Amino acid sequence: MCGVLHGCRDASAVAARFVGAGWSFSSSSWNGYELETSWCQVEIDPIDGSKILLNGVLDPTRLDELARLLNSFGLPYELELNDEDNVLVREIRG
């Protein structure tokens, strides 16, 4: 799974929102974080301007749950789910 969060420069603020929702986190770089729950593991890193890149793996049956969580954060986003052959399976925008 990969995606982009729009309208936020600070990955630490996004990580704090995930932690508030019960996820665990660790620092993965100077400005990036690894976020994890029982069904998803993603890294978030700031990219151009006010965007944050999400990249990782999740239980594909729970993509909508991740989208609902991102909706609750109030940040626009795009998510893409690819299969093991890197074929696009589903895309969600919120």
Side-chain angles (χ1 to χ4, degrees):
M1 185 273 307
C2 64
V4 175
L5 294 176
H6 299 274
C8 187
R9 295 175 191 250
D10 185 3
S12 66
V14 173
R17 291 179 183 186
F18 275 91
V19 169
W23 291 50
S24 62
F25 86 104
S26 61
S27 179
S28 61
S29 67
W30 285 106
N31 298 308
Y33 296 89
E34 185 175 287
L35 305 163
E36 187 173 352
T37 190
S38 63
W39 50 269
C40 183
Q41 181 181 8
V42 295
E43 288 197 33
I44 59 170
D45 290 289
I47 54 174
D48 303 329
S50 60
K51 297 178 184 174
I52 293 179
L53 177 68
L54 288 94
N55 189 27
V57 295
L58 82 154
D59 175 344
T61 65
R62 301 189 77 171
L63 183 62
D64 288 327
E65 190 170 341
L66 178 59
R68 281 190 298 275
L69 181 62
L70 294 174
N71 282 329
S72 75
F73 295 165
L75 296 172
Y77 63 88
E78 301 165 14
L79 297 175
E80 293 182 353
L81 179 64
N82 297 305
D83 66 13
E84 58 275 352
D85 296 320
N86 206 27
V87 174
L88 181 64
V89 174
R90 190 161 171 220
E91 186 174 18
I92 299 178
R93 295 175 188 267

